[in-house]
Amino acid sequence: MASIEQLRPLQVEPPVTFDSVDPATGAPIATFPVDDAEAVGRIVDRSEAAAVWWRSLGFDGRSVHLRRYKSEIARRIDELADLIHRENGKPHGDAVLEITLVVDHLAWASGHAKKVLGPRRVRSGLMAANNASSIEYQPLGVVGVIGPWNYPVFTPMGSIAYALAAGNAVVFKPSEYTPAIGRWLVDAWARAVPEGKDVFLLTTGHAATGAALCRSGVDKIAFTGSAATGRKVMGACAEGLVPVLMECGGKDALLVDADADLHAAADAALWCGMSNGGQTCIGTERVYVADAAYDRFVGILTTMAKELAPGSGEGASWGPPTMPSQVDTIRRHVSDALARGGHAVVGGESSIDGSGVGPTILVDVPEDADAVREETFGPTLTVTRVKDMEEGLALANDSDYGLGGAVFTRSRKRGIELARRMRSGMTSVNSIMTFAMVPGLPFGGVGESGFGRIHGPDGLREFTRSKAVTSQRFALPVNLTSFGRPERATAVAAKLMGAVHGRNR
Ligand code: NAD
């Protein structure tokens, strides 16, 4: 007979959950499950089944659905921007700008996938002249996307849009600071593509959920976040030989030449360094100014910066820090710079508190200070006097990071030349961050900033594997890859090669 213990209803543990909060008020926004490895596995299983259907649609079929998704987002920009403002803290207008870029990237990815990835003929060359050769780029299957909180739509969608357009299903783990925005993106997909809602799924949680996604059997991980976390992601992916895309942090430099439009350069440095509270991977953190322009530039920059103020109401230049612990890093960098002989011409330690971080401009900071070497991720700039742009470029390039950057000069030719020599994945001349707005250009870094590319043709190919096919059109009288080939055949082949290639032309 069953004991009383056995007859008791089974105690089901409530699922572990977490809340996302409004960084301005601390008010909860929504509650989300902390998915463990088992839950992540179930989501990936669903997505694997959907990936087969998605792939079978081909480029044209997928493009119809991707355009529906794009329209769904475009029609609800304000709704999504409100949510971004509440959960990430950035001003509504900045959130709108972020979403408009995503809409453009979705349009580009869906419109260009066939041309970039579809089958294309390749010359067969001398040794296989009797064959037709072709290459095509096939989807991987399921791509796991692990995202950060600072651009909670633009950043992950740089992988998601391109992975979907390339024919993959996607499982998205948003940052634990912005899960409601992730939920919104996935729900919008389900509304736009109800017949294929499992093609784009969500998993929520913290580091352990991300690590579980790496070990879940996905075919690739697209990671965006800090280099320190990137190393852990690579470690987890290495266990299963899962390929990775690494979009990590930056310490971008802006060069100002003696002949530059200093108002434009100062305006750009402030926007690129301080919009979004400086929480921008491609944000300017270091400015190198030619000696002849330095004093005037610092004067203009200082006057402009004093007009900026953080807050959460209308007209705020940027919002509260999304991740409270970042404030400690900003404070440490500013304090270290001041202790090592730097000066704050705007702000300083007093402009940093838990509820908001005001603008800080540091000068005379030694190049080995934390504020110059590490990613600060706050509304701070170091401004350094250099003899000329050669010295500026050498200092800009002396960094472990290499994500973006900018050059301001009257001479476009000189600007482009400096941009090409800057050790970074992307550089804009006489503007900032413009490369991120051009869907046809690749986005990604070097060194500690990561590897692999999102956006553009490279961003589509990133989520594929190349497939080579040859098909014999007619048989040659002599088959070189046969045990039956005549003895003299290889000697004739060698002679032929010598005749064609041996004259070093
Ligand atoms: P983070 O590295 O702390 O976290 C990123 C994501 O990784 C989060 O979703 C987190 O939950 C997850 N994660 C944490 N530990 C993990 C683990 N062990 N295994 C798997 N996943 C794990 O970064 P963050 O603070 O969210 O974002 C800020 C960073 O992102 C900055 O360094 C910024 O420069 C960078 N970033 C880079 C780009 C780019 O395109 N290069 C864009 C935006 C942000």
Side-chain angles (χ1 to χ4, degrees):
M1 213 173 88
S3 73
I4 302 270
E5 277 303 307
Q6 284 168 319
L7 289 173
R8 228 175 241 158
L10 208 66
Q11 290 285 309
V12 179
E13 287 288 323
V16 184
T17 60
F18 69 107
D19 289 343
S20 82
V21 296
D22 182 333
T25 62
I29 289 177
T31 302
F32 295 87
V34 176
D35 288 333
D36 60 11
E38 222 174 282
V40 171
R42 281 195 299 271
I43 294 166
V44 171
D45 284 350
R46 271 168 65 199
S47 136
E48 272 167 2
V52 175
W53 171 78
W54 185 238
R55 180 182 178 147
S56 76
L57 295 183
F59 293 108
D60 294 337
R62 289 194 293 268
S63 177
V64 171
H65 295 299
L66 286 163
R67 286 204 305 271
R68 276 196 207 132
Y69 185 44
K70 175 201 70 174
S71 307
E72 178 68 19
I73 296 176
R75 276 197 306 273
R76 294 173 183 245
I77 287 182
D78 269 326
E79 177 189 315
L80 178 55
D82 276 346
L83 179 61
I84 296 176
H85 172 62
R86 282 196 298 129
E87 197 179 48
N88 161 284
K90 70 179 69 180
H92 182 91
D94 288 359
V96 168
L97 187 61
E98 179 175 345
I99 304 163
T100 56
L101 295 182
V102 164
V103 171
D104 215 21
H105 276 285
L106 262 169
W108 193 93
S110 63
H112 288 78
K114 186 176 184 177
K115 185 161 177 245
V116 174
L117 305 176
R120 136 172 89 75
R121 294 285 288 269
V122 171
R123 279 173 75 96
S124 294
L126 197 57
M127 296 297 283
N130 59 328
N131 282 263
S133 303
S134 70
I135 183 170
E136 65 184 84
Y137 294 87
Q138 299 180 343
L140 301 170
V142 177
V143 174
V145 174
I146 300 177
W149 45 265
N150 61 334
Y151 286 83
V153 173
F154 177 75
T155 292
M157 285 302 282
S159 294
I160 294 164
Y162 289 78
L164 289 173
N168 303 281
V170 170
V171 176
F172 175 34
K173 195 210 88 65
S175 164
E176 51 272 43
Y177 291 95
T178 52
I181 298 164
R183 172 93 266 160
W184 193 99
L185 291 173
V186 168
D187 288 349
W189 173 266
R191 283 195 301 274
V193 191
E195 63 274 55
K197 63 180 176 39
D198 286 357
V199 168
F200 179 24
L201 292 172
L202 187 78
T203 179
T204 53
H206 308 88
T209 305
L213 186 58
C214 297
R215 298 187 173 102
S216 64
V218 292
D219 299 283
K220 181 156 188 163
I221 286 286
F223 169 79
T224 310
S226 60
T229 307
R231 286 185 167 81
K232 293 182 192 159
V233 167
M234 286 180 71
C237 288
E239 293 167 19
L241 276 189
V242 178
V244 290
L245 160 74
M246 286 282 134
E247 292 286 352
C248 303
K251 191 72 192 171
D252 287 2
L254 185 150
L255 303 182
V256 185
D257 206 351
D259 63 356
D261 176 338
L262 298 186
H263 278 93
D267 184 57
L270 284 179
W271 170 264
C272 200
M274 300 195 182
S275 63
N276 204 30
Q279 305 168 128
T280 304
C281 55
I282 47 168
T284 302
E285 299 215 352
R286 302 174 290 151
V287 185
Y288 294 101
V289 190
D291 182 37
Y294 181 84
D295 292 332
R296 267 187 312 133
F297 177 82
V298 171
I300 296 166
L301 188 72
T302 305
T303 309
M304 284 180 168
K306 286 181 177 158
E307 301 291 310
L308 305 176
S312 52
E314 287 288 312
S317 308
W318 55 83
T322 315
M323 187 173 71
S325 59
Q326 194 63 29
V327 175
D328 294 337
T329 304
I330 302 169
R331 187 180 291 112
R332 177 169 61 78
H333 286 191
V334 172
S335 304
D336 175 65
L338 298 177
R340 286 150 141 285
H343 299 99
V345 290
V346 175
E349 283 162 321
S350 61
S351 61
I352 303 166
D353 66 50
S355 60
V357 182
T360 289
I361 294 177
L362 299 163
V363 297
D364 305 327
V365 182
E367 284 296 299
D368 60 354
D370 293 345
V372 178
R373 305 231 64 91
E374 294 177 18
E375 186 180 48
T376 306
F377 235 47
T380 63
L381 290 173
T382 61
V383 186
T384 304
R385 187 194 293 270
V386 290
K387 185 160 68 71
D388 53 24
M389 286 300 93
E390 287 305 317
E391 188 189 3
L393 186 68
L395 293 178
N397 286 350
D398 181 19
S399 172
D400 294 337
Y401 292 102
L403 193 53
V407 180
F408 278 75
T409 167
R410 286 269 175 219
S411 160
R412 274 187 59 217
K413 187 163 172 254
R414 172 79 170 133
I416 291 167
E417 188 243 328
L418 287 165
R420 293 176 71 190
R421 289 165 56 207
M422 186 176 269
R423 184 182 169 274
S424 69
M426 301 110 14
T427 303
S428 287
V429 178
N430 290 333
S431 73
I432 34 90
M433 300 180 183
T434 312
F435 45 75
M437 300 178 191
V438 181
L441 284 179
F443 185 108
V446 305
E448 290 282 305
S449 295
F451 52 83
R453 293 294 182 262
I454 54 172
H455 301 176
D458 299 271
L460 284 167
R461 285 191 203 108
E462 187 73 41
F463 299 105
T464 62
R465 58 174 72 91
S466 58
K467 176 75 189 183
V469 175
T470 62
S471 75
Q472 185 170 288
R473 293 180 296 145
F474 55 88
L476 292 175
V478 174
N479 183 1
L480 287 174
T481 54
S482 162
F483 289 112
R485 78 179 172 222
E487 230 166 77
R488 276 186 43 76
T490 49
V492 172
K495 211 166 183 179
L496 185 64
M497 278 296 163
V500 175
H501 294 295
R503 277 175 287 168
N504 197 22
R505 278 187 308 189

